[in-house]
Amino acid sequence: DDADTAWSVMQVLPEVQGRGIGRALAAGIEDVVRRAGRRKILAYASEHETGGERRVPPTGFGSVAATSRTTRFLDATGYRLEQVNRVSRIALPVAGVDESLEKARVRSGSEFELHRWTGSTPEPWLADIATLITRMSTDAPDAGLETPEDVWTAERVASEDVRRAAENPRRLVTSAVEHRPTGRLVAFTEFSVPPQRHRAAMQYATLVLPEYRGHGLGMLVKLANLGYLPVASPGHPSVVTFNAEENRHMLAVNEALGFVPIAAEGAWRRDLT
């Protein structure tokens, strides 16, 4: 519902690249965005090239290939690089995950309790999940993207769960932490899991509310979900995650878990005149 921002995805099959199709798509997207009264477009593009000349974003963290086809295209169509995300992968099953999870439970203390589910959000947690998703849109490192706040309500979470169950073959696998004294969820993480067992699960949001940080809850929920996924949907080979290169705390958690870098994702912005 943001009045200023649009997001674009442009993909051209390799066998028909070099014919101006991408430029035509970019121009078409800009026309739609302008007619909608929006002033900027955000685009995310992953790259596997690791060598050669590099382009560093204004944050100073991470880089993308400076002369790749993707970079040259986005430069030519008026986008500017604002941020780089690290794309990381961990193989499943994770060795020793149950033992590590028990240690994380002990570290977090008795005030916190784990909950796990697949698919739709349990009714008691709808409002808390709405709060966590909303905070995800404002609390994650944003560089110069100026991503707008995405406000969720319990009703929106429930509606999205119904839509996803009817239309989307992927399932969400979620782990969350309840703060027992308040009865509220204060941390969560979720995987988007495809129906094909040979494909990787995708890490979606992970968030710990700032006022509850310092108890190891990020590690706790991530270990919980890594242990829960092979039970909820066995056979997937790995989990893939995206993290801003300046988000050193979450990168440290992922590195400790065993995630390894496999690609870089540029976050690009186009301001329309």
Side-chain angles (χ1 to χ4, degrees):
D1 295 328
D2 177 66
D4 293 325
T5 307
W7 286 260
S8 71
V9 177
M10 291 174 279
Q11 298 177 327
V12 180
L13 292 173
E15 58 266 29
V16 293
Q17 288 178 355
R19 303 183 188 184
I21 295 172
R23 293 289 188 94
L25 288 174
I29 286 171
E30 288 190 17
D31 182 57
V32 170
V33 172
R34 282 194 175 92
R35 284 191 281 110
R38 308 297 171 100
R39 67 179 178 86
K40 69 176 179 181
I41 307 174
L42 303 181
Y44 294 80
S46 296
E47 299 192 51
H48 294 274
E49 293 186 28
T50 58
E53 184 182 354
R54 309 297 295 174
R55 173 81 63 82
V56 178
T59 63
F61 294 89
S63 65
V64 297
T67 59
S68 69
R69 187 181 192 91
T70 298
T71 298
R72 288 185 284 111
F73 172 82
L74 288 165
D75 282 343
T77 48
Y79 286 78
R80 68 177 186 268
L81 181 66
E82 293 287 356
Q83 187 180 50
V84 171
N85 293 323
R86 182 187 301 183
V87 188
S88 305
R89 175 187 182 275
I90 190 170
L92 296 175
V94 177
V97 67
D98 292 336
E99 294 81 359
S100 297
L101 177 58
E102 186 54 36
K103 291 178 182 177
R105 284 180 190 268
V106 172
R107 180 193 169 191
S108 66
S110 59
E111 287 193 351
F112 300 100
E113 181 178 355
L114 269 174
H115 300 277
R116 298 186 277 196
W117 64 85
T118 60
S120 297
T121 308
E123 194 279 334
W125 304 129
L126 288 171
D128 290 350
I129 288 295
T131 297
L132 288 163
I133 297 174
T134 300
R135 291 289 291 270
M136 190 71 199
S137 72
T138 60
D139 291 10
D142 195 44
L145 298 169
E146 294 184 298
T147 306
E149 182 182 24
D150 187 17
V151 179
W152 284 69
T153 63
E155 293 75 20
R156 183 180 175 188
V157 174
S159 175
E160 178 63 13
D161 283 346
V162 170
R163 186 202 64 79
R164 184 183 293 110
E167 302 175 7
N168 194 335
R170 303 176 73 95
R171 289 196 304 162
L172 290 183
V173 174
T174 306
S175 292
V177 173
E178 175 191 359
H179 181 236
R180 283 175 169 157
T182 61
R184 304 293 301 275
L185 296 183
V186 298
F188 85 127
T189 191
E190 57 187 11
F191 297 149
S192 174
V193 184
Q196 301 90 348
R197 299 301 172 95
H198 68 278
R199 294 177 59 198
M202 299 298 296
Q203 172 76 67
Y204 275 15
T206 298
L207 182 76
V208 180
L209 293 178
E211 54 268 36
Y212 294 95
R213 292 173 186 171
H215 299 279
L217 300 184
M219 179 68 77
L220 179 65
V221 292
K222 290 180 79 75
L223 281 167
N225 233 27
L226 287 170
Y228 183 43
L229 177 59
V231 177
S233 184
H236 297 281
S238 59
V239 173
V240 175
T241 187
F242 295 71
N243 301 98
E245 282 285 2
E246 63 266 37
N247 192 352
R248 179 28 49 198
H249 176 75
M250 190 54 67
L251 287 174
V253 171
N254 286 339
E255 290 162 0
L257 288 167
F259 280 89
V260 295
I262 59 171
E265 179 188 61
W268 298 75
R269 172 174 173 167
R270 168 89 165 103
D271 290 302
L272 302 180
T273 56

